[in-house]
Amino acid sequence: MTTVHETSTFNAEASMNLWLQTGLADITKPAWLPAYTIALNMPQGGITPPCFSVIHLPVSRRSRWQGDNVGNGKTGRRAASLMDVSIWVSRQNAAYMAQAMAMTAMLEGVVMGTQTVPFYDYWSNPAVPVLTAYKIVLGDMNIAETETDPNPDIYRRRVLIRYDWTVRSNQ
Amino acid sequence: MVNNEIFVHAEGALRFVQASASGGGASGARVWATASAPVSGTLAYVESFSFTSGQTIQTIMDRGVPTHHKVTQHDAIQVTFNCLYTGDFMAPVSASGATVPMWHLEFEANDAGNGNTGRYVRFHGVAVQSMQFTENPQGDTLALTCVALGMLGPTGTGYLG
């Protein structure tokens, strides 16, 4: 009987979501910035501006090591993904640009303060994930250009955060 | 042994076991004698591995004409590998006194095209000559240069694999 290893992509994405939510919540928001929402299930769940939305874009699972040996009897590869965070604001608010820039700065602050994100095991218990001994390493943060949204009310900024980790074979 | 397919990096494995300091009597540590309750394992995150064996050949002349060779010396085997630093890298051995801490190493090339067997090369009495640490964005590396007293292989069976 095998189970999926703690470093699975499932746990990686969930742990990154937890990190971002916790990091944003730790920031003391200025009074002029309205309460924001975080959408982790876009586009199915929709957005309510001002909003952070998160999706993950797996990039590669590179074979880098002799026999893919990664220790503790496991084989694995080096994984890279992009955390695609979009910031959505409504032009109905006169200060929509200030909102977008402030939310970008919040995101920037969270990323700049983090080098590694610990893995939480959601496979065993999604409600109360368990901290593991594995980690994700954060890489570059880039601001990506976006097309004008088809909804004229919406202004969007898009940020891509690269992250790497070692994904391992099943237990 | 059939030998129709190439071997690649992804099929390899490098394993170690603590060597006996005294080895096998008159033959020194050139034989596969392990330490008491030896620590063994597979080296992880190995990015490159190589070995070089050599011997000195003396060509014998007969009235100025080369007629045959003689092996006058077997060189020590140079073994090098680079791996990522994980913080729990094994010291070769913890032998004390005048003995030199040593590993035995075993390289396995998985021979999946031949009934999932393997090709093994064993290195006996391996001492670490140098260990170079480098910090890198994609993983800190250790570059090890080792010297072995002798080697055996390739063979169809392994001790560690």
Side-chain angles (χ1 to χ4, degrees), chain A residues 38-58:
Chain A
I38 299 179
L40 300 176
N41 56 350
M42 202 193 72
Q44 293 89 339
I47 58 169
T48 304
C51 174
F52 293 96
S53 71
V54 180
I55 59 173
H56 295 267
L57 308 172

Side-chain angles (χ1 to χ4, degrees), chain B residues 13 17 31 43 45 47 49 55 59 65 81 104 116 127 130 138:
Chain B
V17 63
V31 298
L43 289 162
Y45 300 104
E47 296 186 328
F49 163 74
Q55 58 188 1
T59 302
V65 177
F81 62 92
H104 297 310
N116 210 27
S130 69
Q138 292 300 318

Side-chain angles (χ1 to χ4, degrees), chain B residues 4-49:
Chain B
N4 297 324
E5 271 292 2
I6 59 168
F7 295 91
V8 300
H9 187 240
E11 296 172 314
L14 188 59
R15 301 184 176 92
F16 70 93
V17 63
Q18 288 175 311
S20 167
S22 57
S27 54
R30 290 191 294 111
V31 298
W32 189 274
T34 57
S36 175
V39 176
S40 64
T42 302
L43 289 162
Y45 300 104
V46 175
E47 296 186 328
S48 64
F49 163 74

